[in-house]
Every structure is written in C-alpha cells, then in structure tokens.
Amino acid sequence: MKIYDNKKNPSAIKKTRVGKEKKLKEYNHLKIEHKWQVEWEKKKLYEVKNGTKGKRFYGLIEFPYPSGAGLHVGHIRSNTAMDIITRKRRMEGYNVLYPIGWDAFGLPTENYAIKTGIQPEKVTKINTDVFRKQLKSIGFGFDWSREVNTTDPAYYKWTQWIFLQMYKKGLAYKAKTNINWCPSCKIGLANEEVVGGECERCGTETTKKVKEQWMLAITKYADRLDRDLDKVDYLEKIKVGQRNWIGKSEGSQIKFKIITSGNFSSDPRMREDEEPDHLENISTQSDFVEVFTTRADTIFGATYIVLAPEHELVAKLKPQITNWNEVKEYITEVKDKKDIERIAEEKEKTGVELKGIKAINPANNEEISIWIADYVLATYGTGAVMAVPAHDERDYSFAKKYGLPIKQSIMPVYGKSTENEEFRYAVSAFVRRPSDGKYLFINSKQFNKISKVYGGIEKGESITEAGIREVFEETGYKTKLVRDLGFSIQSHFYHPDKKIYRKLVSELVELELVDDKKYEIDQEEVLLHEEIWMTLDEAKLVISEKKELHDFEILSGKFCFIDDGILSNSGEYNNLSSEEAREKITKKIGGKIVTKYKLRDWVFSRQRYWGEPIPIIHCDKCGIVPVPEKDLPVLLPKVKSYKPTDSGESPLSIISKWVNTTCPTCGGKAKRETDTMPNWAGSSWYYLRYADPKNKKEFASKKALNYWMADGVNWYNGGMEHVTLHLLYSRFWHKFLYDLKLVPTSEPYIKRTAHGMILAEGGVKMSKSIGNTIDPKDIVATYGADTLRIYEMFIGPFDQTVSWSTDSIIGSRRFIEKVWRQSFKVSLQKDNKKSSPQLITVLHKTIKKITEDIESMSYNTAISSMMVLVNEMEKAENIEKKDFKMFLQILAPFAPHITEEIWANLGEKKSIHKSNWPKWDKKKIVDEMVKIIIQVNGKIRGEMMLENNTDEEKAKKEALKNKNVLIWLEGKEIKRVIYVKNRIINIVV
C-alpha cells in the first residue's frame, strides 16, 4: 500500500485503493502548504485588534537573533510549542496575540560587518528576510503586522527614552569597574558573553580590565526581584536559577579586630588583658576586618579568616605582613583567574597566610590566622569570610589542606525531643585491635542491634575514663586512649529497656586494646552483649543508622556538619538552637543583622558600534547632560569602518563629525557618549512594544497595555539559557516602568516555561563551525512543514534535551500520510455510516488527553495518542464525518496545513483554525468493556472481559466459566468471593 521512498520525494504516493478501483489523490505537501500560507496571509487570519471584547490571550516566544546562518531545527521547537498553544486558544474563543520580531543589535553582526565590509544594517536586513521566509514556510500563526526590530530607530528611540528615565531616577550611572576584556575583539564583554573564560564569539581567552562603564542599579530592585517570584507561575528550576543569581542572604555583619605580631598573646586561645565586651565599639579601631556570614551561630568554631586577594586591607597591611613577597606572588597568580573558575565547587582551593598579623574572634577573644584565598571574591559580601571548617565544606577542605584547626561548635540532632525526657551525658567509643586493625562492635541480644560501645559518663569522670570503663564492663578488655575525636552529637529516643524517653549528648573517642587479654566480667553483661570484630567497611554494611554512619566519617577525618543544630563549645550559648543563637550572638558581639545579595549592578555599556547609542552628552562645563527627549532617537551614524580601536574605546569615538556636538544646557562645545547599549537593552521590553508597535508618541499606549498586559504576558516560553539573566533584566525594566505607572502589572510574565535543546545527530551541539546544523528549509522541502512540526514535538519530552535524527522523521511523515488516507475513506463513504462505539470511546479519550497534554506541554504523548487513534481509524470499517472532523480539530494546532486542506475538502467554508475546540463527552470516555483479573486465594489464575460496571453476581458467574480457574477450584469449597468492580475478583476456597 505505501509509497514511501526516503531517497525520493516522500510525498510520491503510488496507486492505493479505497474500496473498488478508486485511486487516492496524491498528498503534495509543497502545493498544499504554500496554498494555505498564501490564503492565511491574504485573509490576515492571525492579525488581531486591540480592545476586542471577550477573552484575550498573549503568547510569547523569545524573538530570535537573525544570524547569517539562518534558523536551524533547534530554533523551531519553542515556536511550534507556543504556536500549538495559541492555536488552541483561538479555537477556545480567545482573542490571541502571538507576535514576532528581531533582536538584531549585537556583536555577531558587527563582527560579520568587519569581516566582509558589508554594512551592519544591510546584513541585518538580509538576515531578517531569510528568517522571515523560513518562519512563514513552517506555517506559524504570527501576527506579522506587529513585527518589531530592535535596530529600527522607531523602536530604539524608546529604548533610549527608557534609559533616560532611569538616568533621571538615579538608576543609570557611570563608574569604574572590572570588565571582561577580549584582546582579540578589543571589546568589553558581559558575563554572559564569556564562556569557560573565553570570548563567546572568537574563543580568545579573556582578561580583566578596569574601565569606566555605564551601570544600571539593578541591585536596588534585588529584594523585589527575589520576593516577587512567589507571585508568578514559573518552572521551579527557573525560580531557583533566578534566586541563585540574585543570591539573597539573611545574615550578620561582624567585625574582627586585627593585631600585629608584637601584640600576639602567648596563649593562642585567650588574651587575658581583654574581655569579649571590649569589642562592642570596635568601629573605633583603626584596623579591623568586617565579614558577612549567614551562620553567626558557628562563630565559636571560626579558626581563621580568609580575605579576597584583592581586598583593600591586604595592601594597607603590607608593612605588617612579614611574608609579603609570597603574598604578592600569589596575588599576581590569582589576578587573571575568572570568578567562575575561582568559586567552582570541584576546583581545589589555594591560599597564603598573611604572617605577622592575626584577627581576634570577637566571640571568645581567641587569636586566629588571616589568609588570602582564591575562593573568596572581593565583589561578594564584604570580600572576607570567617572560616568555620567543622561546619562549612569549602572551609573544611581548605583547613585540611593547610593543617588549620577544626573545632566543632554545632551538634547534629537526631530524633525529636519530647516532654519529660531524661538527660544523659554519654561516651561513644571506637575500639581498635592493633593485632589486625579490626574494630569492636556490640550486638545487643535483647534488641538485636549492632553498635559501638557506648554508655553514660558518671559524675566526676572524664570522657576518656568513661569510655575505658564502659568497654571493660561490657567486654572485659582493657583499653587506652588514642584520641578524643572532638565531636559531640545530640539524640532523642525512647529507651525500651528502661521505658523512658531520653535526651543524649554523646562524645566520640577512639580507644585501642592494651593487649588481647579478656578479663572476666559480670555474667549479666555476657547475657546482654555479644562482641563482634569487624573492619570499618564490614561494619558499614550492617549498620544503617545515619548517626552511626556520621561517626564513621568523623573517625576517618572526613566529617563536616553543615546543617543547623544545637550549639556546643560555645560558652553561654551552649544548648541553644542555631536559629535562636544567631541573633543573640550577633547582638552580643556588636554585629548587625543585614541582608546581602550576590547580584551586582548591571554593566550596561559596550565599546562597539552596532548597538543603541547611549543618549548622553558630556560637557566640560555642565558635566553629564541627557539628550532632550525631543531629540530622540540619537541615530547611529553611517560609517565605513567598524573595527574596534586599540585603546578599547568604541569605534564611534573616532567619528569626530558625530561625536562633536553642542551642550543642550549651555550651548557650548560638548561630545556625545560613544559607548553603546548591550543587545540586552532592546530585548528587555520588546513584549510591551508588540501591544502597540506603530505608536510614535509613546512606547505603547496605556489603553493597549491595559488590554494585552492587564495581568501580564499569559505564557512565555524560551530556552533554559535565557531564564536567568535575560529574564532578570526584563523583570527589572518592567518593575521600573511599573513604578513610573507606565505598565499595569509589577511582573511582566504570568507563566514562564522552557524547552530542552535539540542536539545534532550523535548528541553534539549544533554549530555552524562544525557544519552539523539542520536547515528546516531542507526538511520542509522534502517532508513538509507539518511533518517537521509533528517531529519536533514528538522527538521527546519538551523540557528535555534530545538528539535530532533525520531517519526518525520518516515516522512523523507516515503519520501525516495515514491521516491523508483516512480523509478519503471518510469522504467516500455514505453519510449515514456511524463510527463504532469502540472508536468513539478512543476518540473522546484522545480529545481529553490532547486538551490536557497541550496545557502541560506533554506534546510527545499527545502525538502518540493521536497516532493510536489513527491506527484505530485504519482498522475501523466506518468513520462518521463529524467524528473525523473532531479529530482534525485536535490535530490542527500541530499540523495546520493538512488539517486545513482536509477540512475544506470535507465541505467546511470557515478555517479550521477559527472553529471551536471540540469537547469530549464524559459518558463516552468510559470503556464499555473492561478487563477483570481472576484470582484464587489471592493468586492470579485468569482474566476475562466484562461490560463496564458489571455487578458481583454476574462477575462471579462468568469467572466460574473460566476453564483455567476451574482447575484450581476442583474439589474445593468456595468460602467467599471478594469483588472490586471493574478491576478484580478473588475467589477464596
């Protein structure tokens, strides 16, 4: 019957029969798809008007950057997904806005212009023309009348206008800052333009360079950007990405006094001439270091301070640092390391002690060493941290490497406390046998539990004495101390032998046998305990309690407890919870409770040509002067060369005719700002312009915004690579406009989802340089746009990364062809033919599933269910026309061309995309026949098909007819029958 030749045009269909001697009309996708694309454009099917009464829906995708390579199949995934959603919404009666535009400013076009000598605006026009043609060929339902382009002066006039409003409100300012510098492109790069320490565009390793830049004070919105994530429906991983970048931390700012070698105490633990309270007014001291910590409760365990190598105190204290040459060498070594490399979890941390100076821990007055280390950044917090290696994994690794003290100040807590607990102070002992290196464990015969030796510490006993005594009493072995492991644990439990609830604080020690001699012990202990000698690895296999396993880690020197707990070794704060202690300790030592953010102000200017000119004028007399709003837009000048300057200034800086101007304030000589905006500028507000793209008086009228943005963009989908910075910047701009009462909502997007990337065949990233991109033009020509759309959605779960396979696309094409064939089966049969009850059930179940799957973006399962339905149609003798039309309607958002063609062939005059979304009948999705499992005494002995909701008596009667079941009933008396309707019948004999 089929007709598929992968080497030729797959639409070439050989002779196929429907009934007698009737040939199936060829499915010519090229002709059909072009026909309907022209028709839709002619009738302006997808154009919408503002203010239409009734329901409205705004669906948005990230507008593309029109590169010279054109679209590849990876770009199509998001467009198709949102196209499906917006098509469904139209059929549900919504006035739908699904717009498109071009994010066309940026470095790639400028680099191409430098390489080829073609003007950037001409490159942009060529590229957008290619992209537009490609998108139209796939049949997306965009409202092309609202197309925007960030490089259009009519658009970037308003980008400049928004910048000026920020400047007037103090959110735009100029400051010297460290930037990422590409020595090859001779340009400053944003963090997002540096990948793995290299320039994203040319691959050259970047360096750091201090330069004066325009900045946007996004940090002033940090709290709202974090807090308002609770208001929106974003994927949880998107919220996590946003919050991690913002990096909100509630903590304490604490000052540590710095002393020089001449003032060091002979006792490293305490300076007897000073009490802790002397530090309350430490701000009067000339030398101190301020740290920010979220864990003030751990301060008694702080055993050293770490400064960022760039910290201003390092240079200030140079005369007191006795190993300055070593310190200077390390600073030079770290200087060009990328921040992301320095803080990477997997990277080994390095550092150098600042000898000759120490810090005073304000909680206990202990002298602690000061270090510089690469894992501390000057730009985060205060550029200094108090290191608590017992309770921070990064500090722990550093302390182990350099042999620094590790002191517990927080006890882990296991179990929940209850009323009327008995408190017990205990010792828990690892006992090693030197002869073979095995350890002693006790099996409690009464409770069948294996553990270390443990027991209470009696009044007047030391921890060591208690451990030695307990081991002897329970086993008869004499032991000696190897080491006090310096770690205590609190646990709450019920003691079944004593029938009491107990709160236990246990100290951990390691003991060793004096010899292998075993002395006689109380017979009662012999009956209670059985000794077992095991290696630690063997013990881990039979002991599963989390507390016990933590003890093994402590013994091996690997344990670091990072969670909240109960304070220990913390003076007057012992036994307080971490939460209680943080504020109390901070206040007592003169600290402050503060909120900090990892987020830094946005470096907004770029030293390049192809970007929006920053509308600022520099006057020697008046200083920085904004360009008057009436003079906007500040147009990019026409230039012959776009090459960056050797000085690192923008190419605009050498165009004297453009740079030299007059001051709007005093009329004197002045110069234009030559930095341009990043391409993030235009993409931060484009969704607003779509609401009113032709407006010349404002970026969009309030009336248009109140209509389309009454709640915000209803659904925004894009790549995971843009859900952090682009989304953050866009939310920031929107909140600023909201504060000016220019937009109706405080958040721009109600719902934000993301799709997984499509990799090239073999699972590698698509790249023009590798030559492995797949051009959708070729797929459309060979297989058809509808096939491409179906395949893109069927290839795998929408939120996951998947690999392209040209061979697999044939399956999607075959599905399209099956639909085409079924349409002739329907059109050629008599009108009075009805669908079978079974087919109707499958149809209505499929309508329900597609309706739900589109909303959850479960496109692959939606298509799978439609494939099942079409297979049922192939087997069916008849398909009623109205049933087939309902199927076409749920397929239409996925395959708009073929469904429109068949819809018209079946006599419909109005577009299928303007028809009403079908509703499933609840009664018809219930199966008429259901499978019932038959059990005898709980074991499966057979199965049967019964009518839905068959009663027990009839089910029993049918079960007793089953020959296989009768074998198990022979000679036995049926005592009772247990029947679970529509599922199972169990015959008990």
Side-chain angles (χ1 to χ4, degrees):
M1 182 170 84
K2 166 89 114 249
I3 46 190
Y4 208 103
D5 186 343
N6 191 29
K7 295 179 181 178
K8 298 177 181 179
N9 186 342
S11 66
I13 297 184
K14 297 177 183 178
K15 294 178 181 179
T16 306
R17 295 181 181 275
V18 179
K20 292 182 178 181
E21 305 298 328
K22 291 181 179 177
K23 294 180 181 179
L24 180 62
K25 183 181 178 183
E26 180 182 295
Y27 172 55
N28 186 328
H29 67 264
L30 294 173
K31 181 179 178 181
I32 290 170
E33 289 174 355
H34 177 71
K35 166 189 170 182
W36 288 109
Q37 288 163 15
V38 171
E39 185 72 9
W40 295 334
E41 192 161 350
K42 179 182 174 184
K43 291 185 176 179
K44 300 181 179 180
L45 190 70
Y46 306 118
E47 287 189 20
V48 290
K49 294 181 179 179
N50 297 349
T52 304
K53 289 183 180 180
K55 301 181 292 183
R56 63 192 179 283
F57 180 82
Y58 186 171
L60 183 69
I61 56 165
E62 294 166 348
F63 62 165
Y65 188 95
S67 66
L71 290 167
H72 62 65
V73 292
H75 296 124
I76 306 303
R77 204 176 190 192
S78 178
N79 304 12
T80 305
M82 188 52 65
D83 197 56
I84 290 167
I85 291 163
T86 53
R87 285 179 182 278
K88 178 173 178 279
R89 287 291 186 275
R90 284 192 197 95
M91 296 171 76
E92 290 172 329
Y94 287 81
N95 188 33
V96 173
L97 173 59
Y98 187 33
I100 189 65
W102 316 109
D103 186 15
F105 269 133
L107 196 54
T109 299
E110 185 167 325
N111 284 345
Y112 187 80
I114 293 169
K115 183 178 178 181
T116 63
I118 303 173
Q119 295 274 347
E121 58 266 35
K122 189 173 181 180
V123 172
T124 298
K125 177 158 190 331
I126 293 169
N127 292 345
T128 53
D129 287 347
V130 170
F131 269 55
R132 189 182 301 104
K133 185 176 180 180
Q134 285 181 302
L135 291 173
K136 287 186 175 183
S137 74
I138 301 167
F140 295 125
F142 294 126
D143 181 350
W144 287 99
S145 71
R146 293 171 184 259
E147 180 181 349
V148 300
N149 187 323
T150 57
T151 67
D152 181 354
Y155 181 90
Y156 71 70
K157 166 185 178 177
W158 299 108
T159 308
Q160 293 174 338
W161 183 86
I162 295 170
F163 173 86
L164 287 180
Q165 309 318 304
M166 288 187 167
Y167 177 77
K168 292 171 185 175
K169 294 292 182 180
L171 292 178
Y173 65 95
K174 215 166 188 187
K176 285 188 177 180
T177 187
N178 252 323
I179 64 168
N180 304 302
W181 179 255
C182 175
S184 175
C185 297
K186 296 178 182 176
I187 198 167
L189 302 172
N191 288 333
E192 62 274 6
E193 293 170 326
V194 178
V195 179
E198 297 177 346
C199 175
E200 184 183 31
R201 299 303 169 188
C202 72
T204 303
E205 185 174 353
T206 60
T207 60
K208 293 288 186 182
K209 186 171 185 176
V210 176
K211 187 157 184 61
E212 194 171 45
Q213 299 281 313
W214 278 99
M215 313 285 290
L216 294 187
I218 190 173
T219 51
K220 292 185 178 180
Y221 282 75
D223 186 60
R224 287 167 63 185
L225 288 167
D226 181 274
R227 187 179 66 241
D228 287 357
L229 287 169
D230 293 332
K231 297 179 180 180
V232 291
D233 179 16
Y234 292 178
L235 294 176
E236 188 56 33
K237 59 185 176 181
I238 294 177
K239 289 187 178 185
V240 169
Q242 290 264 298
R243 285 199 159 109
N244 286 346
W245 193 268
I246 296 166
K248 182 178 180 179
S249 300
E250 301 282 351
S252 307
Q253 209 147 288
I254 300 169
K255 294 178 179 178
F256 286 67
K257 182 182 177 183
I258 296 174
I259 59 172
T260 57
S261 56
N263 295 316
F264 290 174
S265 168
S266 58
D267 180 351
R269 294 171 301 168
M270 179 63 74
R271 293 172 51 78
E272 294 180 356
D273 61 325
E274 292 182 325
E275 297 295 328
D277 287 349
H278 85 285
L279 292 169
E280 289 183 3
N281 297 314
I282 198 167
S283 59
T284 61
Q285 302 288 343
S286 58
D287 291 325
F288 60 83
V289 59
E290 192 166 45
V291 305
F292 171 76
T293 177
T294 60
R295 295 297 305 272
D297 55 313
T298 67
I299 193 169
F300 284 86
T303 57
Y304 60 101
I305 291 286
V306 186
L307 306 179
E310 308 89 347
H311 198 289
E312 60 181 11
L313 271 176
V314 178
K316 182 180 178 183
L317 294 169
K318 175 182 174 181
Q320 286 77 42
I321 298 172
T322 58
N323 60 332
W324 178 254
N325 288 340
E326 181 186 12
V327 171
K328 183 181 177 182
E329 185 179 337
Y330 181 76
I331 293 171
T332 303
E333 177 189 326
V334 172
K335 181 181 177 184
D336 288 331
K337 284 186 180 180
K338 312 301 176 294
D339 288 355
I340 195 166
E341 178 188 350
R342 285 170 57 175
I343 63 175
E345 291 292 333
E346 67 278 4
K347 179 189 168 295
E348 185 179 8
K349 311 300 185 275
T350 63
V352 172
E353 183 181 0
L354 304 183
K355 295 178 181 177
I357 61 173
K358 287 188 183 294
I360 302 297
N361 185 330
N364 55 19
N365 254 10
E366 288 185 4
E367 293 173 4
I368 58 178
S369 57
I370 304 176
W371 292 67
I372 56 171
D374 56 357
Y375 71 84
V376 179
L377 304 178
T379 54
Y380 181 60
T382 62
V385 299
M386 67 174 202
V388 188
H391 305 293
D392 182 278
E393 290 176 346
R394 183 185 58 179
D395 297 340
Y396 177 83
S397 299
F398 192 84
K400 293 291 285 186
K401 178 176 180 177
Y402 292 103
L404 297 167
I406 300 173
K407 189 171 81 172
Q408 182 191 16
S409 58
I410 306 292
M411 283 191 293
V413 180
Y414 300 97
K416 293 183 179 179
S417 63
T418 58
E419 293 183 2
N420 303 316
E421 288 179 318
E422 177 194 82
F423 176 73
R424 187 80 163 148
Y425 190 42
V427 63
S428 181
F430 280 103
V431 180
R432 183 176 177 275
R433 186 164 63 190
S435 59
D436 60 7
K438 291 187 176 182
Y439 284 82
L440 174 64
F441 293 89
I442 300 296
N443 180 26
S444 171
K445 296 177 182 178
Q446 185 179 5
F447 304 111
N448 193 28
K449 178 183 175 184
I450 299 173
S451 66
K452 303 185 299 300
V453 177
Y454 68 91
I457 300 173
E458 304 297 340
K459 189 174 181 180
E461 268 187 325
S462 69
I463 298 168
T464 302
E465 290 167 343
I468 291 171
R469 174 182 55 75
E470 283 290 341
V471 173
F472 185 79
E473 287 178 357
E474 293 188 11
T475 67
Y477 290 109
K478 288 186 177 180
T479 55
K480 61 182 179 180
L481 180 70
V482 175
R483 55 183 171 146
D484 181 340
L485 292 167
F487 216 88
S488 53
I489 292 172
Q490 185 179 119
S491 53
H492 303 266
F493 61 95
Y494 179 71
H495 198 302
D497 186 26
K498 300 186 183 295
K499 294 182 172 55
I500 58 171
Y501 288 96
R502 181 168 279 176
K503 172 183 174 181
L504 187 74
V505 172
S506 54
E507 303 284 352
L508 197 61
V509 296
E510 183 180 17
L511 305 176
E512 187 176 85
L513 295 189
V514 173
D515 52 44
D516 288 348
K517 185 176 179 182
K518 189 176 171 70
Y519 294 86
E520 188 176 338
I521 59 173
D522 191 298
Q523 191 60 29
E524 187 178 338
E525 293 289 347
V526 175
L527 295 174
L528 289 173
H529 307 122
E530 174 189 9
E531 67 182 70
I532 305 173
W533 290 91
M534 296 183 282
T535 65
L536 293 178
D537 287 338
E538 290 170 338
K540 290 175 186 176
L541 296 175
V542 296
I543 295 176
S544 58
E545 284 188 37
K546 188 176 179 182
K547 169 187 172 298
E548 295 283 349
L549 294 175
H550 280 176
D551 288 352
F552 285 105
E553 293 184 25
I554 294 165
L555 180 69
S556 63
K558 296 178 182 176
F559 184 69
C560 172
F561 180 69
I562 62 173
D563 297 325
D564 282 3
I566 299 296
L567 271 69
S568 65
N569 302 317
S570 298
E572 64 184 281
Y573 305 100
N574 282 346
N575 298 316
L576 284 180
S577 69
S578 290
E579 189 175 356
E580 289 177 291
R582 282 193 272 268
E583 187 173 353
K584 288 184 178 181
I585 290 175
T586 301
K587 288 181 178 178
K588 183 66 181 288
I589 63 177
K592 295 184 295 184
I593 303 293
V594 295
T595 301
K596 290 279 184 179
Y597 298 91
K598 193 188 298 182
L599 181 67
R600 288 289 159 270
D601 279 350
W602 177 5
V603 179
F604 192 69
S605 52
R606 302 288 185 270
Q607 292 71 48
R608 66 183 185 206
Y609 169 75
W610 193 235
E612 301 94 333
I614 292 177
I616 291 292
I617 291 171
H618 298 276
C619 174
D620 289 340
K621 182 178 178 182
C622 304
I624 294 176
V625 181
V627 171
E629 291 179 14
K630 66 179 179 62
D631 293 336
L632 298 179
V634 177
L635 297 173
L636 270 176
K638 302 287 184 182
V639 295
K640 291 182 179 179
S641 174
Y642 323 100
K643 290 184 179 179
T645 62
D646 291 332
S647 65
E649 295 302 317
S650 163
L652 293 174
S653 64
I654 57 175
I655 306 171
S656 55
K657 188 177 179 181
W658 183 83
V659 171
N660 294 320
T661 186
T662 55
C663 173
T665 302
C666 70
K669 291 182 179 180
K671 294 183 181 294
R672 294 190 184 279
E673 173 61 60
T674 59
D675 284 357
T676 54
M677 299 184 195
N679 64 319
W680 295 95
S683 65
S684 290
W685 71 280
Y686 71 109
Y687 59 95
L688 297 171
R689 186 64 173 174
Y690 284 142
D692 195 9
K694 304 295 191 293
N695 197 319
K696 295 181 179 179
K697 296 182 178 179
E698 49 195 338
F699 65 84
S701 71
K702 283 194 175 182
K703 185 177 179 181
L705 291 171
N706 287 338
Y707 180 72
W708 290 116
M709 296 290 297
D711 302 306
V713 173
N714 296 93
W715 197 330
Y716 184 21
N717 186 78
M720 275 302 295
E721 68 274 19
H722 294 143
V723 297
T724 301
L725 289 179
H726 158 64
L727 188 56
L728 198 66
Y729 294 156
S730 185
R731 293 177 62 224
F732 163 50
W733 276 48
H734 191 89
K735 287 181 180 298
F736 171 69
L737 294 173
Y738 176 72
D739 290 346
L740 296 183
K741 296 183 170 51
L742 297 175
V743 293
T745 60
S746 62
E747 283 287 333
Y749 317 113
I750 301 171
K751 185 181 181 77
R752 181 60 159 88
T753 51
H755 57 275
M757 186 183 294
I758 293 185
L759 302 175
E761 301 201 46
V764 297
K765 189 173 181 180
M766 287 191 188
S767 169
K768 183 184 176 185
S769 60
I770 299 174
N772 62 356
T773 59
I774 310 292
D775 192 333
K777 179 179 69 174
D778 298 333
I779 304 298
V780 169
T782 306
Y783 300 97
D786 284 343
T787 298
L788 173 60
R789 291 167 64 104
I790 291 288
Y791 179 66
E792 290 258 359
M793 296 296 98
F794 187 56
I795 194 171
F798 184 68
D799 63 341
Q800 295 179 21
T801 297
V802 292
S803 295
W804 179 268
S805 171
T806 301
D807 289 340
S808 298
I809 201 172
I810 294 171
S812 297
R813 171 64 187 211
R814 285 174 178 158
F815 169 63
I816 292 290
E817 288 181 345
K818 281 184 179 183
V819 174
W820 183 250
R821 289 197 298 274
Q822 294 312 302
S823 72
F824 286 90
K825 179 178 179 178
V826 172
S827 64
L828 292 171
Q829 72 185 13
K830 293 181 180 180
D831 288 342
N832 60 353
K833 294 292 184 180
K834 302 291 184 183
S835 303
S836 68
Q838 184 178 350
L839 180 59
I840 290 173
T841 295
V842 176
L843 171 63
H844 283 265
K845 280 185 174 181
T846 307
I847 293 170
K848 180 178 185 294
K849 181 162 179 56
I850 303 306
T851 302
E852 294 168 351
D853 279 357
I854 289 175
E855 297 306 315
S856 63
M857 305 189 103
S858 303
Y859 299 115
N860 58 327
T861 59
I863 292 168
S864 179
S865 65
M866 286 190 283
M867 288 177 172
V868 170
L869 174 59
V870 171
N871 288 340
E872 288 294 324
M873 288 178 174
E874 277 195 315
K875 292 185 288 184
E877 188 175 339
N878 300 302
I879 309 169
E880 189 172 354
K881 189 179 288 187
K882 71 177 182 63
D883 295 332
F884 190 70
K885 286 181 179 178
M886 291 175 77
F887 161 65
L888 289 176
Q889 287 173 308
I890 60 173
L891 177 61
F894 297 83
H897 305 90
I898 189 172
T899 51
E900 189 80 286
E901 177 73 6
I902 296 172
W903 186 257
N905 289 344
L906 292 175
E908 294 289 342
K909 302 300 181 186
K910 187 174 75 170
S911 169
I912 190 172
H913 305 298
K914 291 290 188 177
S915 67
N916 295 326
W917 185 257
K919 295 180 180 179
W920 70 90
D921 188 330
K922 290 182 181 179
K923 295 177 183 177
K924 291 176 181 176
I925 65 173
V926 178
D927 290 318
E928 292 196 0
M929 302 294 287
V930 293
K931 182 189 289 185
I932 307 294
I933 301 299
I934 309 171
Q935 293 181 336
V936 177
N937 286 352
K939 293 185 178 180
I940 298 173
R941 301 304 183 191
E943 60 183 44
M944 59 187 175
M945 297 299 295
L946 294 179
E947 288 183 3
N948 189 49
N949 292 324
T950 298
D951 62 35
E952 183 176 335
E953 193 59 37
K954 187 174 180 181
K956 178 182 174 183
K957 185 178 178 180
E958 293 298 320
L960 293 176
K961 292 179 181 178
N962 188 294
K963 292 179 181 180
N964 193 50
V965 173
L966 289 173
I967 294 171
W968 296 95
L969 298 178
E970 189 175 350
K972 295 184 175 68
E973 179 188 352
I974 297 175
K975 291 186 175 181
R976 62 191 174 116
V977 173
I978 302 168
Y979 177 52
V980 180
K981 190 176 285 187
N982 297 332
R983 292 180 61 194
I984 192 169
I985 186 166
N986 183 21
I987 302 169
V988 182
V989 298

